[in-house]
Amino acid sequence: MTDMKAWSREVMADPRRVAVPIMTHPGIELCGYTVRQAVTDGRIHAEAICKLNEAFPAAACTVIMDLTVEAEAFGAEVVFAENEVPNIVGRLVSDRASVEALQIPSLEAGRVPEYLKANRLAAGRITDKPIFGGCIGPFSLAGRLFDMSEMMMALYTEPDTIRLLLDKCSEFIMEYLRAMKATGVNGVIIAEPAAGLVSNEDCSAFSSAYIKKIVEELQDDRFMVVLHNCGNTGHCTAAMAETNAAGLHFGNKIDMVAALKECPAEALVMGNLDPVGVFKMASAEKVREETLALLRNTAEWPNYVLSTGCDVPPEVPMENIRAFYEALNEYNRQ
């Protein structure tokens, strides 16, 4: 069992940088499966995680960042394509009455059992490095159930309704993460991108306050919470830090140096190469240049961990992934 606090201290103490990209889709492709197969079958999902781990030397493994699993469990409609990430369509709740009637689902709902299976199988097979599960954050989940645009208005016109919805979302996420922790994974990346759409004050009140409760209950020596907010452009880093999550993960829209200056020195700070503009669309040489530039710009912060700005999408060229790791090795040799 990995001591995650010790792992974090080792990462900070070692002058060599490590990489923890949020990356699973290339593993699906290496196995010859489709995205749809991986997000609906925990065995295939775990196989993809393990295959990618064999191919590329990340310091930790991650599951797919699928922000539809929890909303589907509540009853939201999901659209699947063969080789694209799933999407939520429609609106599940729209007013106080529908939120009050909303039932908190069991862990047998939707694809939750398959995701727990993927975590359990991956944790059983990969024992030499941490594995991070994944889930959506309460604010982002609420937005998927209520409709994000409608919820942005309701924060001011019906705040009590949104707080009730957040309470229900948080209760389900807490149960889900208790079960995830029991699978043997070493932590979770909580994706809360919608919280970057509001002010620091509102991010604190409607997102961080709920994340902090999750951290207080679940984070310990063997389970690390990493909070991801790729919607944050720099305006709500303080609210993210309030959660006391042991890791903070940033998207490609933020200045990584500015983020590091605002984050606690004892937290691992991760990010933020553009997963689409750089990893998927750029040349291998451009990936190398961007990776080296990011490493050099963040050199003075021992708590920095090289990562992507979000989940790497399907169909990223393998030579670009190799260039990313080659740049990391080049930097460490220097």
Side-chain angles (χ1 to χ4, degrees):
M1 186 70 69
T2 302
D3 183 327
M4 292 305 290
K5 289 182 179 177
W7 179 78
S8 182
R9 289 193 298 268
E10 288 167 7
V11 168
M12 294 187 202
D14 194 333
R16 295 168 298 179
R17 290 300 195 201
V18 299
V20 182
I22 302 178
M23 185 185 297
T24 316
H25 288 288
I28 299 169
E29 291 152 18
L30 286 169
C31 292
Y33 294 117
T34 66
V35 174
R36 182 169 186 154
Q37 287 174 308
V39 300
T40 56
D41 187 323
R43 181 191 59 79
I44 290 174
H45 189 164
E47 188 177 330
I49 295 167
C50 295
K51 188 73 170 180
L52 188 66
N53 181 54
E54 294 168 5
F56 297 106
C61 298
T62 60
V63 305
I64 300 167
M65 185 178 279
D66 182 347
L67 305 188
T68 65
V69 175
E70 299 84 357
E72 181 188 34
F74 271 94
E77 182 182 352
V78 182
V79 173
F80 296 94
E82 285 304 315
N83 279 305
E84 296 177 15
V85 294
N87 284 300
I88 298 293
V89 294
R91 186 179 182 188
L92 193 65
V93 290
S94 58
D95 54 20
R96 179 79 185 190
S98 58
V99 171
E100 287 177 345
L102 184 67
Q103 297 295 306
I104 298 170
S106 81
L107 296 181
E108 296 301 314
R111 290 172 292 138
V112 171
E114 293 301 322
Y115 270 71
L116 290 173
K117 181 196 293 183
N119 281 269
R120 185 174 63 255
L121 292 174
R125 290 174 59 181
I126 301 171
T127 58
D128 62 338
K129 63 183 64 175
I131 299 175
F132 287 98
C135 79
I136 196 170
F139 187 80
S140 300
L141 175 55
R144 294 200 157 217
L145 300 178
F146 199 88
D147 180 84
M148 198 64 233
S149 298
E150 296 292 336
M151 192 173 83
M152 293 288 282
M153 292 186 286
L155 289 178
Y156 306 103
T157 60
E158 304 176 68
D160 289 343
T161 297
I162 300 306
R163 287 191 179 95
L164 176 60
L165 179 58
L166 286 167
D167 287 341
K168 293 189 174 189
C169 290
S170 295
E171 184 175 337
F172 175 69
I173 289 169
M174 188 79 83
E175 285 298 315
Y176 184 26
L177 291 184
R178 288 190 191 108
M180 190 181 294
K181 185 175 182 178
T183 68
V185 295
N186 309 100
V188 62
I189 299 172
I190 299 178
E192 189 70 308
L197 299 174
V198 296
S199 67
N200 188 74
E201 182 180 7
D202 285 340
C203 181
S204 176
F206 293 103
S207 173
S208 296
Y210 297 89
I211 299 288
K212 189 173 184 179
K213 292 176 182 176
I214 293 170
V215 170
E216 288 171 350
E217 174 164 337
L218 294 172
Q219 184 167 270
D220 55 25
D221 289 355
R222 66 186 186 90
F223 196 80
M224 174 187 287
V225 175
V226 177
L227 175 59
H228 164 81
N229 183 344
C230 58
N232 176 20
T233 58
H235 62 287
C236 59
T237 303
M240 289 177 66
E242 285 175 12
T243 64
N244 296 323
L248 298 171
H249 194 286
F250 295 91
N252 51 280
K253 293 180 180 179
I254 203 168
D255 181 326
M256 202 68 227
V257 171
L260 281 157
K261 289 178 180 177
E262 278 199 74
C263 290
E266 65 273 14
L268 291 180
V269 180
M270 309 176 183
N272 73 333
L273 283 168
D274 187 338
V276 177
V278 174
F279 264 91
K280 184 169 182 174
M281 307 302 295
S283 67
E285 180 57 29
K286 180 66 172 177
V287 172
R288 174 185 168 276
E289 291 171 1
E290 292 287 337
T291 304
L292 284 171
L294 182 57
L295 287 165
R296 288 165 182 156
N297 289 340
T298 55
E300 67 180 272
W301 285 274
N303 59 330
Y304 173 70
V305 174
L306 179 65
S307 187
T308 53
C310 201
D311 199 4
V312 170
E315 300 177 350
V316 166
M318 292 296 165
E319 58 266 28
N320 286 8
I321 302 172
R322 284 192 287 272
F324 170 77
Y325 283 105
E326 287 165 4
L328 174 64
N329 291 337
E330 180 180 341
Y331 177 84
N332 284 334
R333 285 195 299 271
Q334 295 171 354

